[in-house]
């Protein structure tokens, strides 16, 4: 008899792409456990403010808890400082929040994405215990093995290995980036059983704030 | 050992028999095939739902109170819930199973929380009774505020999500899947139906239809095909009956004694126990081997 585990993996994939003057955050809405689907319509994206979103794949219980904690803290920040939390600030706090639970981790795999002070897309990618780095684009969750190579290939972003370092945002236009995200998700839903039903796509721009779009995926 | 008491010779005695002796005093743990241990299974874990001490030495020492639920004992099975035009329906059977034994046959697994909310539970019955007490306390507190507001179904769902998640954080879970259903009367556009579910790890979701345990396999496909948020009460009841019937046919730990609960703008109504008509004399059932001739 196996011991009871406080963890589960509820599947789902999320992608974030930072561009010049926009940021795209997208996540699938299927919630699964084992081989069953619990619901076809559960969001895994937290809208912190109109400059910063957090997408979390992994275990749903921990995700709810993490999103609650982050909401409280960002609200507190707004009361103290009379301004919304910037994306880089949120990114650091998310790292600290995750590391605080180093020895009983939140089993969540996060992306923190939004617009920085220059209005440029910014994406941070994490592991479950808080290690993070700023990148130009990233993906997390059950479909990441399928999606990450496609993004590497398609986004024409400068390599992080290049010296001197260049700004990591993609040179793609907003419309091209959205199209890439859609293709990546429909491809992932063909092969990954935990990615499907629908994708929520959030588009952040300095001019229009947060816009949301929903793309239906295969439901099987 | 009980002093001054002569036990019949066929009853095994010794430190390893006494329930008040810890593992270390008793010597080797279970699973070690000592000849004195013949009266307990060599590997208690292999016996489903056996009331036997854990083989995991660090976890529960023999004779000490068992603090954490590591396996459920008396369990309830599927709970189903769907939305319809005026509110929600919830249904389940009344069985409290002890492993695969149909042990208790009049267990009420749907409770009324307030005028707008009901909660149904599958999993460990005693844990659900504890949760019922928590909800009762919550409602008493809500009443005492005397502010003219009562908790909405989504608030009660949020509360139960926190309770379940908190207990899993303590590595001491409440072994249940809960379904919260009801009507929110505070909405601007009239009454709004709500169905939410939460599992023992704190995994939670809301949907137009929900089913726990076996129901997720057997009833959910029916709901996906036939449930609509604007269906009439009659349609919803017959869909629910069909789902229950399918469950009863294929789930061996279920009985033909059900309870159906309804929440609408008028309030909560929980039915008396009822049975469904069943048909077992299908031709293919009468002679099951007719179309499956063996090779010898």
């Amino acid at each position: 008899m196996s011991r009871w585990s406080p963890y589960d993996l509820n599947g789902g994939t999320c992608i974030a792409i930072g561009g010049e003057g926009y940021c795209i955050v997208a996540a699938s809405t299927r919630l699964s456990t084992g081989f069953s689907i619990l619901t076809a319509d559960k969001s895994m994206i937290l809208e912190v403010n109109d400059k910063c979103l957090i997408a979390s794949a992994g275990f749903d219980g921990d995700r709810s808890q993490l999103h609650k904690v982050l909401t409280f803290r960002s609200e507190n920040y707004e009361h103290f400082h009379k301004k919304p939390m910037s994306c880089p600030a949120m990114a650091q706090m998310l790292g600290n929040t995750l590391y605080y639970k180093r020895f009983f981790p939140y089993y969540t795999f996060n992306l923190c994405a939004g617009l920085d002070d220059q209005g440029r897309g910014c994406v941070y990618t994490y592991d479950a215990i808080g290690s993070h780095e700023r990148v130009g684009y990233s993906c997390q969750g059950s479909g990441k093995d399928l999606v990450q190579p496609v993004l590497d290939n398609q986004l024409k972003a400068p390599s992080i290995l290049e010296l001197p370092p260049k700004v990591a945002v993609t040179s793609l236009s907003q419309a091209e980036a959205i199209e890439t995200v859609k293709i990546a998700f429909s491809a992932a839903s063909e092969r990954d059983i935990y990615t499907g039903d629908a994708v929520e796509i959030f588009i952040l721009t300095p001019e229009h704030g947060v816009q949301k779009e929903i793309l239906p995926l295969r439901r099987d | 050992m009980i002093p001054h008491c002569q036990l019949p010779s066929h009853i095994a005695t010794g430190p390893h028999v006494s329930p008040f002796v810890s593992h270390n005093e008793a010597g080797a743990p279970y699973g070690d095939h000592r000849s004195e241990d013949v009266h307990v299974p060599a590997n208690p874990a292999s016996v489903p739902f056996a009331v036997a001490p854990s083989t995991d030495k660090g976890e529960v020492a023999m004779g000490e109170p068992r603090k954490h639920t590591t396996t459920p004992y008396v369990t309830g099975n599927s709970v189903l819930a769907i939305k319809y035009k005026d509110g929600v329906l919830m249904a389940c059977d009344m069985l409290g199973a002890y492993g695969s034994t149909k042990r208790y046959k009049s267990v009420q697994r749907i409770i009324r929380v307030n005028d707008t909310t009901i909660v149904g539970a599958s999993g460990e019955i005693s844990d659900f009774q504890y949760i019922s007490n928590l909800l009762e306390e919550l409602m008493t507190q809500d009443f005492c505020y005397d502010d003219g507001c009562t908790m909405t179904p989504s608030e009660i769902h949020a509360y139960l999500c926190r309770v379940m998640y908190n207990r899993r954080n303590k590595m001491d879970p409440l072994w249940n899947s809960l379904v919260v259903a009801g009507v929110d009367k505070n909405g601007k556009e009239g009454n709004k139906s709500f169905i939410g579910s939460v599992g023992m790890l704190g995994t939670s979701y809301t949907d137009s239809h929900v089913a726990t345990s076996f129901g997720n396999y057997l009833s959910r496909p029916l709901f996906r095909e036939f449930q609509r948020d604007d269906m009439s009460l009659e349609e919803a009841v017959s869909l629910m009956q069909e789902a229950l019937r399918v469950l009863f046919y294929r789930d061996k730990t279920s009985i033909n004694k059900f309870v159906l609960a309804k929440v609408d703008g008028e309030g909560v109504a929980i039915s008396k126990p009822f049975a469904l008509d069943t048909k077992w004399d299908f031709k293919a059932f009468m002679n099951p081997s007719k179309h499956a001739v063996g090779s010898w």
Side-chain angles (χ1 to χ4, degrees):
Chain A
M1 193 167 26
S2 62
R3 252 173 71 98
W4 176 79
S5 163
Y7 291 116
D8 192 8
L9 254 181
N10 299 110
T13 308
C14 44
I15 300 179
I17 295 176
E20 206 62 62
Y22 69 88
C23 186
I24 298 161
V25 187
S28 63
T29 61
R30 176 177 292 179
L31 188 76
S32 327
T33 181
F35 286 126
S36 346
I37 297 170
L38 293 174
T39 184
D41 183 28
K42 167 120 189 185
S43 176
M44 49 191 213
I45 295 180
L46 172 70
E47 286 181 74
V48 181
N49 53 51
D50 63 358
K51 289 277 189 299
C52 183
L53 303 185
I54 288 167
S56 323
F59 167 47
D60 178 74
D62 281 342
R63 169 173 48 227
S64 319
Q65 173 70 7
L66 179 66
H67 284 190
K68 270 202 163 96
V69 168
L70 295 175
T71 308
F72 295 152
R73 297 210 175 138
S74 98
E75 262 179 42
N76 242 340
Y77 181 101
E78 284 200 41
H79 286 124
F80 272 112
H81 302 283
K82 300 190 169 58
K83 63 174 184 183
M85 225 168 160
S86 71
C87 189
M90 192 69 208
Q92 185 57 52
M93 199 191 71
L94 174 56
N96 294 347
T97 308
L98 290 169
Y99 193 74
Y100 187 80
K101 294 261 294 168
R102 173 62 181 81
F103 299 108
F104 185 22
Y106 288 126
Y107 201 42
T108 55
F109 300 91
N110 300 284
L111 294 173
C112 177
L115 300 168
D116 64 12
D117 298 339
Q118 284 92 49
R120 191 184 276 146
C122 89
V123 177
Y124 293 81
T125 184
Y126 295 77
D127 73 0
I129 51 175
S131 322
H132 58 286
E133 69 169 339
R134 184 169 174 176
V135 289
Y137 57 88
S138 188
C139 71
Q140 291 281 14
S142 59
K144 70 168 187 301
D145 297 0
L146 299 168
V147 173
Q148 188 71 43
V150 178
L151 298 182
D152 290 336
N153 181 255
Q154 294 291 310
L155 284 179
K156 295 177 189 146
S159 166
I160 326 175
L161 299 175
E162 235 174 287
L163 286 173
K166 290 182 179 161
V167 180
V169 295
T170 173
S171 55
L172 258 54
S173 72
Q174 183 181 317
E176 286 171 321
I178 293 173
E179 198 52 34
T180 308
V181 166
K182 288 181 178 175
I183 290 170
F185 266 105
S186 55
S189 71
E190 293 286 329
R191 290 286 182 177
D192 175 21
I193 56 168
Y194 299 113
T195 302
D197 291 316
V199 202
E200 287 181 307
I201 304 171
F202 288 84
I203 301 139
L204 279 74
T205 48
E207 306 82 51
H208 301 110
V210 185
Q211 289 163 297
K212 187 179 163 185
E213 194 181 316
I214 289 176
L215 170 74
L217 290 178
R218 355 177 6 117
R219 298 175 64 82
D220 61 354
Chain B
M1 281 287 291
I2 309 158
H4 317 298
C5 177
Q6 201 65 43
L7 288 169
S9 59
H10 66 275
I11 293 178
T13 56
H16 58 283
V17 179
S18 166
F20 305 108
V21 174
S22 78
H23 239 157
N24 296 338
E25 289 173 66
Y30 293 103
D32 181 16
H33 297 256
R34 295 197 310 164
S35 57
E36 302 97 278
D37 285 340
V38 287
H39 58 287
V40 292
N43 175 15
S46 69
V47 183
F49 302 105
V51 187
S54 166
T55 47
D56 195 335
K57 260 201 280 186
E59 205 178 356
V60 184
M62 206 181 161
E64 280 171 22
R66 179 183 286 272
K67 289 178 184 167
H68 295 185
T69 308
T70 52
T71 48
Y73 282 86
V74 179
T75 55
N77 226 327
S78 315
V79 178
L80 317 177
I82 53 175
K83 285 185 189 173
Y84 71 99
K85 184 160 55 82
D86 311 311
V88 292
L89 282 185
M90 188 190 285
C92 65
D93 70 9
M94 301 195 77
L95 179 66
Y98 180 74
S100 52
T101 305
K102 290 172 174 156
R103 182 66 185 80
Y104 305 99
K105 299 188 177 184
S106 286
V107 181
Q108 181 66 264
R109 295 195 285 124
I110 297 178
I111 55 160
R112 173 189 171 282
V113 179
N114 59 24
D115 275 343
T116 54
T117 314
I118 50 177
V119 170
S122 54
E124 174 65 51
I125 296 294
S126 62
D127 282 346
F128 178 56
Q129 288 170 347
Y130 169 71
I131 291 166
S132 307
N133 290 341
L134 289 182
L135 289 170
E136 183 128 1
E137 279 171 29
L138 189 71
M139 288 308 108
T140 305
Q141 206 172 55
D142 198 19
F143 174 80
C144 290
Y145 286 139
D146 199 19
D147 54 2
C149 323
T150 50
M151 285 181 84
T152 62
S154 65
E155 286 164 350
I156 287 161
H157 179 245
Y159 169 80
L160 288 174
C161 288
R162 294 302 82 198
V163 170
M164 299 300 273
Y165 183 75
N166 186 238
R167 287 292 293 263
R168 88 106 216 187
N169 277 350
K170 294 177 176 171
M171 302 295 273
D172 184 12
L174 294 167
W175 210 284
N176 298 104
S177 287
L178 303 173
V179 180
V180 183
V183 173
D184 185 352
K185 293 202 213 171
N186 302 333
K188 280 176 188 135
E189 312 96 42
N191 295 347
K192 208 167 169 354
S193 305
F194 174 91
I195 296 178
S197 177
V198 56
M200 70 165 145
L201 299 175
T203 307
S204 63
Y205 57 95
T206 62
D207 214 330
S208 287
H209 49 78
V210 151
T212 62
S213 69
F214 239 94
N216 201 31
Y217 300 108
L218 295 175
S219 310
R220 214 71 194 287
L222 292 172
F223 293 160
R224 282 194 199 105
E225 195 161 343
F226 299 112
Q227 187 273 344
R228 285 171 289 107
D229 285 359
D230 60 350
M231 70 203 296
S232 70
L233 176 63
E234 290 71 31
E235 287 176 302
V237 168
S238 71
L239 173 59
M240 196 57 114
Q241 286 176 339
E242 199 51 41
L244 288 173
R245 191 178 289 114
V246 166
L247 263 178
F248 175 60
Y249 280 143
R250 283 295 174 184
D251 180 358
K252 70 169 177 164
T253 46
S254 67
I255 53 172
N256 193 358
K257 184 176 175 185
F258 301 100
V259 164
L260 183 68
K262 178 184 81 168
V263 188
D264 56 18
E266 309 291 298
V268 173
I270 300 179
S271 80
K272 290 220 164 65
F274 63 92
L276 291 170
D277 295 331
T278 52
K279 178 174 160 63
W280 298 97
D281 53 352
F282 292 107
K283 273 184 185 158
F285 283 9
M286 305 271 275
N287 184 5
S289 59
K290 190 179 170 191
H291 300 293
V293 186
S295 56
W296 70 84

